[in-house]
Amino acid sequence: MIFNMHLEEGWAAKNDKHVDREKFICLHAFSNLYHISPPIFIYLLKECYLCGTRKATHKFNVLQQHVFHALCNAPQPDPYTFIVHCLYILPLLGLQYAEGFSHLLMCSLKRLKNRKPALGVLSEAKHLAARLFVDILASSVNHEERILIKILELFEIELKDIGEARFGSVTKKDDMEKARAFIERHIVDLIESQSYMTATVLVEHFSVNLGQSFLVKMMDNNNFKAAEKWAVFMGKPMLCLLVQKYVEMKMLKNAYDVIKRNNLKEEFPDVQRLYKESSLKKLAEKGLWDIAELRAMKDRQLLEFVVYLAMEAGYAEKVFELCDRYSLEGFDKLTVSDRPTFGACYLDPEKLMIENIIWVDDFNGLITATNYIEGCKVVGIDCEWKPNYEKGCKPNKVSIMQIASENRAYIFDLIKLHQDVPLELDSCFKNLLCSPNILKLGYNLQCDLYQLSQSYGDLECFRYYEMLLDVQKLFNEPGGGLSGLAEKVLGAGLNKTRRNSNWEQRPLSQNQMEYAALDAAVLVHIFHCIYNQPQSTCNEVRSKVEWKSHIVSCMGNAKRKE
């Protein structure tokens, strides 16, 4: 029987009579490996791989299927010994083929072992595999460490097999000790070369005890996965040491996960609370108060911790809201800080000399605001919407839009204006967003414009714009967002405590109004600081960019640079 391994067409090519036969490698020998030696087999394997132009992944998938069937066709003396001989030969092909083909052969053999468990590993094959393992460990045969581990597991090599391969026999206790010493020496070498995962597998497989120093060394080198694997193998005392090290390194999540997986709550009663409090504090610093509340809801002590965080952040309305909702007592005598302590001093309307923050939710207010903004040369724009914490759910409709000059901010209630005066809203915002005389500043403004178009698809005003400048694109900042940029340019950042508050509640709190106004107004102040003060340190930033080259417009379906 003859069958073909044409990797360009895959399995379908076998029955296609119109395919040019010269492009095939006819491997009739694969139908019966009784007379095929490992070198010939490897040669045919390589030729099959070189045939065709498909991607490597496709080729290997097809080849693996063929190799599996080939191993069922009487390789001599048995499939396991045959593969070991192949693994000895593969490094001679060079790294380009040895690595991939070795994995291919081992995976095919593992599949055969799972499908036909009766074809167990014979003693001769295991002895030869142990010799190969020793040769790889001693660098006499060049294979990567993953192949070393696969040989160990697939051929079920034990310490006595290592002794026989290394010293000829293990008839005496001293022979076993020599074999163990050989493994331990190479484990130490692997540790020195920072191959921690391979070292851990050998430690576990051969029951080698290296003490606490091994664990500490792995963790000091940030190889936590290997450290956890070894600690689990070594048992409870080493797991406790692992948790202690995580706590010392302030990696509370890792410590908590180990405690939870290995039932160590009694040994570390405080770590779980420390981790949860740490998580709540991170959420509070990001302004994710609703998520923090959900995480703490079933634990009164954690709810009280969230209240303290809100007090520390100067978030008075959240303090009163939580105390009222969960009947928390004892906080009425405490005062809420006017300024949060999460970081440095923050900007406020007084510092930016914002004289008026004006709420717009009717036709008259819309006209007044539009007339004022049309007389400005530069304005900042921002939007807010109620966060949606359900994964995969559609974002909520944009609730408000802020447009600010250097000293005045208008906050437009888009939900109400769209409901009451949609045509007038569309007309006014068209005049503003499409005006070539007003430079409109934003931070990641494309995101806001996308949300606006999704929220109010019937309005044309959010589809087109002119003279937009995304301040985010002017700076190569590693992080910190608009607040970090404000701190760098203006000397103080923004309090992002209320970023993820409920922007659909009416009326908005005074703090929400100030937060919204600052997010828009600060853009104008950053622009003027850099553009108008050539002697300041801000000029270093200005020299790196040309503002005009970043101004964009979108009229119709086309987007062009000015």
Side-chain angles (χ1 to χ4, degrees), residues 357-361 400-403 409-414 417 503 508 512-517:
I357 301 175
I358 303 167
W359 179 256
V360 179
D361 65 354
I400 63 171
M401 184 173 185
Q402 312 95 274
I403 302 180
Y410 288 95
I411 301 178
F412 297 88
D413 184 349
L414 292 183
L417 290 169
W503 293 102
L508 295 182
Q512 283 179 302
M513 293 277 287
E514 291 181 359
Y515 170 91

Side-chain angles (χ1 to χ4, degrees), residues 512-552:
Q512 283 179 302
M513 293 277 287
E514 291 181 359
Y515 170 91
L518 283 168
D519 259 15
V522 75
L523 293 164
V524 183
H525 285 265
I526 289 173
F527 178 82
H528 286 319
C529 181
I530 296 174
Y531 191 76
N532 295 329
Q533 298 183 29
Q535 301 304 318
S536 70
T537 56
C538 300
N539 194 51
E540 297 176 7
V541 180
R542 185 190 174 199
S543 64
K544 297 178 184 177
V545 296
E546 285 295 334
W547 288 88
K548 288 187 177 180
S549 67
H550 289 274
I551 295 174
V552 296

Side-chain angles (χ1 to χ4, degrees), residues 327-560:
S327 302
L328 302 176
E329 299 177 353
F331 294 94
D332 53 333
K333 297 179 182 179
L334 300 175
T335 58
V336 180
S337 170
D338 291 332
R339 183 173 297 161
T341 57
F342 294 151
C345 179
Y346 290 105
L347 293 169
D348 57 40
E350 185 177 347
K351 285 181 182 177
L352 284 188
M353 294 181 289
I354 300 176
E355 299 170 358
N356 290 305
I357 301 175
I358 303 167
W359 179 256
V360 179
D361 65 354
D362 59 22
F363 175 72
N364 291 332
L366 178 63
I367 297 300
T368 302
T370 302
N371 290 336
Y372 174 83
I373 296 168
E374 284 181 323
C376 299
K377 292 184 178 180
V378 181
V379 295
I381 297 179
D382 192 34
C383 297
E384 307 293 346
W385 56 90
K386 181 182 178 181
N388 191 334
Y389 299 114
E390 295 183 25
K391 189 175 181 180
C393 289
K394 185 179 179 180
N396 289 309
K397 181 180 290 190
V398 176
S399 177
I400 63 171
M401 184 173 185
Q402 312 95 274
I403 302 180
S405 65
E406 197 167 13
N407 53 19
R408 182 182 295 188
Y410 288 95
I411 301 178
F412 297 88
D413 184 349
L414 292 183
I415 293 176
K416 190 170 186 299
L417 290 169
H418 181 254
Q419 180 179 336
D420 295 348
V421 286
L423 297 178
E424 292 81 357
L425 175 66
D426 197 22
S427 175
C428 288
F429 272 42
K430 270 184 187 176
N431 292 339
L432 299 179
L433 294 178
C434 292
S435 172
N437 302 316
I438 308 171
L439 177 61
K440 293 162 279 288
L441 308 173
Y443 193 89
N444 192 18
L445 193 54
Q446 293 294 332
C447 175
D448 287 350
L449 289 170
Y450 174 79
Q451 292 297 339
L452 285 164
S453 65
Q454 293 297 304
S455 299
Y456 304 99
D458 58 323
L459 301 182
E460 292 186 358
C461 59
F462 297 129
R463 302 178 199 169
Y464 317 120
Y465 50 82
E466 198 162 354
M467 289 289 288
L468 253 63
L469 177 61
D470 193 337
V471 174
Q472 184 187 40
K473 295 183 178 180
L474 300 175
F475 301 89
N476 187 20
E477 294 295 314
L482 180 57
S483 178
L485 179 60
E487 185 173 357
K488 179 176 181 179
V489 177
L490 304 176
L494 296 167
N495 177 11
K496 308 302 285 186
T497 304
R498 293 160 185 83
R499 175 180 54 188
N500 293 300
S501 59
N502 183 4
W503 293 102
E504 292 183 5
Q505 69 177 10
R506 297 292 183 268
L508 295 182
S509 69
Q510 182 61 30
N511 283 320
Q512 283 179 302
M513 293 277 287
E514 291 181 359
Y515 170 91
L518 283 168
D519 259 15
V522 75
L523 293 164
V524 183
H525 285 265
I526 289 173
F527 178 82
H528 286 319
C529 181
I530 296 174
Y531 191 76
N532 295 329
Q533 298 183 29
Q535 301 304 318
S536 70
T537 56
C538 300
N539 194 51
E540 297 176 7
V541 180
R542 185 190 174 199
S543 64
K544 297 178 184 177
V545 296
E546 285 295 334
W547 288 88
K548 288 187 177 180
S549 67
H550 289 274
I551 295 174
V552 296
S553 299
C554 180
M555 306 304 291
N557 293 324
K559 181 178 179 181
R560 69 177 188 273

Side-chain angles (χ1 to χ4, degrees), residues 54-260:
R54 290 290 184 94
K55 291 183 178 180
T57 302
H58 174 81
K59 291 182 178 183
F60 271 92
N61 288 338
V62 176
L63 275 174
Q64 189 179 100
Q65 184 74 3
H66 283 297
V67 170
F68 166 72
H69 288 293
L71 291 177
C72 298
N73 292 327
Q76 295 299 310
D78 63 86
Y80 292 90
T81 304
F82 188 85
I83 290 298
V84 176
H85 283 302
C86 289
L87 291 173
Y88 265 111
I89 296 166
L90 276 171
L92 300 177
L93 297 180
L95 293 177
Q96 182 181 0
Y97 301 103
E99 181 179 339
F101 286 171
S102 297
H103 284 289
L104 188 154
L105 294 179
M106 296 292 282
C107 289
S108 301
L109 184 60
K110 184 177 181 180
R111 183 180 173 191
L112 179 71
K113 185 178 181 181
N114 293 335
R115 290 281 186 92
K116 299 183 178 182
L119 294 175
V121 185
L122 301 177
S123 58
E124 179 64 27
K126 180 178 283 194
H127 178 70
L128 187 61
R131 278 178 51 194
L132 176 59
F133 179 87
V134 168
D135 289 339
I136 296 172
L137 206 57
S139 300
S140 300
V141 176
N142 187 21
H143 271 297
E144 62 174 14
E145 291 175 6
R146 287 189 296 172
I147 293 299
L148 185 80
I149 299 304
K150 284 186 176 181
I151 293 170
L152 185 72
E153 296 170 346
L154 192 57
F155 289 87
E156 303 169 7
I157 296 172
E158 300 173 2
L159 194 62
K160 65 180 182 64
D161 301 313
I162 299 298
E164 290 175 354
R166 178 68 177 166
F167 306 108
S169 68
V170 284
T171 55
K172 300 178 182 178
K173 185 178 180 180
D174 288 346
D175 295 330
M176 285 292 288
E177 291 302 320
K178 287 179 183 178
R180 185 178 297 278
F182 171 79
I183 292 295
E184 289 179 356
R185 185 170 70 253
H186 283 285
I187 289 174
V188 172
D189 291 341
L190 288 167
I191 295 169
E192 290 299 325
S193 63
Q194 298 188 12
S195 296
Y196 294 113
M197 187 56 73
T198 304
T200 301
V201 172
L202 297 187
V203 164
E204 183 178 354
H205 190 86
F206 294 110
S207 301
V208 176
N209 188 352
L210 294 179
Q212 297 182 358
S213 60
F214 181 38
L215 178 74
V216 173
K217 192 161 189 175
M218 282 192 289
M219 297 191 73
D220 287 343
N221 284 279
N222 299 327
N223 206 290
F224 304 117
K225 187 176 180 180
E228 289 186 26
K229 181 178 176 66
W230 188 65
V232 169
F233 167 70
M234 293 300 294
K236 195 170 186 178
M238 203 61 67
L239 282 167
C240 290
L241 177 62
L242 178 71
V243 172
Q244 289 170 5
K245 285 289 293 180
Y246 273 140
V247 173
E248 290 172 10
M249 299 170 74
K250 298 183 179 180
M251 299 176 66
L252 294 175
K253 183 181 187 308
N254 297 64
Y256 172 70
D257 289 342
V258 172
I259 291 169
K260 190 175 180 181

